[in-house]
Amino acid sequence: MRRVVLALLFATTIAGCAETVRAPLATEAQQHEANQPHAVPAADLLEGMPAYPDRGNIYAAAGANMVRTDLREDRELVYVPNPASDRVHVIDPNTMQVVDEFYGGPEPQHVVPSYDMRTLYVTSSRVPGGAVLPIDPRTGKPGQMVNVQDVYNLYYTPDGQFAIVVAEAYQRLDFYHPQTWELVKSSHFPDCEGINHMDFTLDGKTGLASCEFANRMIAFDVASGEQLRRFDLDVVPNGMPQDTRLVPNGSVFLVADMHADGVYVFDAQATQRIGYIPTGKGAHGIYFSRDGAIAYVSNRNEGSVSVLDMATLQPIAKWTIPGGGSPDMGGVSPDGTTLWLAGRYHGEVYAFDTTTGELKGRIPVGAGPHGLLVWPQPGRYSLGHTGNIR
């Protein structure tokens, strides 16, 4: 139903002009260059953005068990929004049992930590409405819901100035005050049907966002919200780009594509596509190991997880769910030993042992589980989604 609504809304828009960029697949030399660290002087970062403690790994402050002191009293829980049932299920990761359940809003999609990591938000997107539901991470209990239109996804500018609501049905990025939820400005991208996932360049000045229903990506200026470039994807004619992540050394972006069954590679400044990596059917979510050496790609349509070596950008293993499954969104445990993923089509949650790849937990939840959050998380500040923390 949501896909039909989006298609109808998109049909009423007028396609705008944008710079279209195409690029061949990477050569071996380009792949080697892509894996070299790209240091950025502190003076060149987006104003107000925290400096990196280690320029060779942008997630260095989110290493194993590096949980901030003020987060150590937060309850260890896994939050699972279920958009088909409007419920959030809460799992104790130690017992792998559901310990709570509550109303998550009109079509809850993701659970997202705030920029300062002191509030968790359930994002809801049933058009024409939508909402954010705050959760106190100390108690695991929801608070007062705030009406915000079409919060399909939620991110934060790297300086923490704005909460970016991804209003997917309207092809918009809406910039809100992160505490009061007052709308400050809005950017419309008529050629980005199904705008969805994003991440930011090492300097925090440029965002790269997927257009799920248009088989393309866009790059936008973080300060102004204006579109900079458009990339039409061409591995398959009906591509569906999904999760978008900057790799630990900041040298390239990875973009999972459900219909291309693999991961696109973009350069560090989101100016060109330089490669493509086959992974598996329905490539969807991208997560990194705590040491930054590995990426985990969930292949939703074949019930598997591909393991990529960040030094070579090549697959080195594949974990398969016994009897099949539909791994979607999730995150890595604070100690890095468990990868948690929602089973989108199976009403369950998966817990993988990241050392062996074995499935050590399979927990029934609500219908259509989606943007699962593991909490607490190591790191200094949140850029949104299901724990994109630097």
Side-chain angles (χ1 to χ4, degrees):
M1 178 61 71
R2 181 176 177 81
R3 182 67 180 87
V4 172
V5 171
L6 292 177
L8 290 172
L9 286 167
F10 182 69
T12 64
T13 63
I14 300 175
C17 296
E19 177 186 354
T20 301
V21 181
R22 293 179 183 269
L25 301 186
T27 64
E28 289 186 10
Q30 285 174 315
Q31 290 285 15
H32 175 76
E33 171 63 20
N35 283 284
Q36 307 311 304
H38 288 237
V40 176
D44 292 337
L45 297 176
L46 179 71
E47 185 177 356
M49 177 181 170
Y52 294 107
D54 179 354
R55 294 181 183 277
N57 180 5
I58 62 174
Y59 308 113
N65 296 315
M66 295 174 64
V67 177
R68 281 180 3 200
T69 302
D70 60 331
L71 271 64
R72 291 176 186 169
E73 298 299 319
D74 291 359
R75 293 186 64 187
E76 294 183 22
L77 296 170
V78 176
Y79 298 91
V80 189
N82 304 284
S85 58
D86 291 350
R87 308 293 292 176
V88 173
H89 282 69
V90 184
I91 297 171
D92 182 330
N94 298 303
T95 64
M96 295 197 180
Q97 299 292 318
V98 173
V99 295
D100 199 3
E101 179 186 346
F102 53 83
Y103 176 65
E107 198 175 331
Q109 299 287 355
H110 303 89
V111 180
V112 177
S114 62
Y115 183 83
D116 65 6
M117 301 170 67
R118 294 313 309 132
T119 305
L120 311 178
Y121 289 105
V122 184
T123 69
S124 298
S125 63
R126 184 172 291 125
V127 293
V132 289
L133 175 65
I135 298 173
D136 181 349
R138 291 285 173 94
T139 65
K141 300 299 183 181
Q144 185 73 35
M145 191 171 294
V146 181
N147 292 326
V148 179
Q149 188 178 47
D150 192 21
V151 196
Y152 185 79
N153 220 329
L154 176 63
Y155 290 87
Y156 293 88
T157 55
D159 59 1
Q161 184 177 5
F162 298 110
I164 305 177
V165 167
V166 181
E168 183 193 51
Y170 302 97
Q171 294 94 49
R172 292 195 321 248
L173 296 181
D174 295 332
F175 293 74
Y176 285 83
H177 187 286
Q179 282 81 43
T180 66
W181 292 102
E182 295 178 1
L183 180 62
V184 179
K185 60 182 179 179
S186 183
S187 297
H188 182 217
F189 304 98
D191 54 353
C192 189
E193 183 187 10
I195 190 167
N196 197 330
H197 303 90
M198 71 177 72
D199 204 352
F200 305 91
T201 52
L202 191 68
D203 61 11
K205 295 180 179 180
T206 302
L208 180 66
S210 59
C211 307
E212 182 175 359
F213 305 132
N215 195 23
R216 61 173 58 114
M217 305 290 294
I218 60 167
F220 66 94
D221 181 80
V222 171
S224 68
E226 295 180 356
Q227 182 170 321
L228 300 172
R229 291 173 287 279
R230 190 183 83 188
F231 308 90
D232 290 339
L233 305 176
D234 54 12
V235 168
V236 293
N238 64 334
M240 185 177 278
Q242 302 288 318
D243 205 5
T244 301
R245 292 298 302 270
L246 187 65
V247 301
N249 70 7
S251 62
V252 296
F253 288 91
L254 302 180
V255 179
D257 190 302
M258 283 191 65
H259 288 175
D261 299 335
V263 175
Y264 287 101
V265 184
F266 283 80
D267 75 324
Q269 290 301 315
T271 63
Q272 62 177 328
R273 177 167 71 85
I274 61 173
Y276 167 76
I277 309 163
T279 59
K281 293 181 179 179
H284 192 79
I286 302 171
Y287 307 95
F288 299 111
S289 60
R290 288 292 169 206
D291 60 5
I294 296 294
Y296 310 110
V297 180
S298 60
N299 302 309
R300 192 167 85 182
N301 293 346
E302 72 174 31
S304 73
V305 173
S306 292
V307 181
L308 306 184
D309 179 5
M310 289 295 88
T312 63
L313 295 184
Q314 294 301 312
I316 56 174
K318 181 176 283 190
W319 307 335
T320 301
I321 298 172
S326 49
D328 192 273
M329 289 291 168
V332 177
S333 62
D335 62 6
T337 63
T338 306
L339 173 65
W340 291 85
L341 296 170
R344 190 68 177 274
Y345 305 138
H346 289 73
E348 58 190 5
V349 166
Y350 312 115
F352 292 90
D353 186 314
T354 57
T355 301
T356 65
E358 294 180 359
L359 189 67
K360 60 182 183 179
R362 193 168 192 160
I363 304 108
V365 288
H370 192 192
L372 172 158
L373 175 68
V374 182
W375 200 256
Q377 285 285 301
R380 300 174 298 157
Y381 60 97
S382 165
L383 292 179
H385 195 39
T386 59
N388 184 350
I389 296 172
R390 297 187 185 178

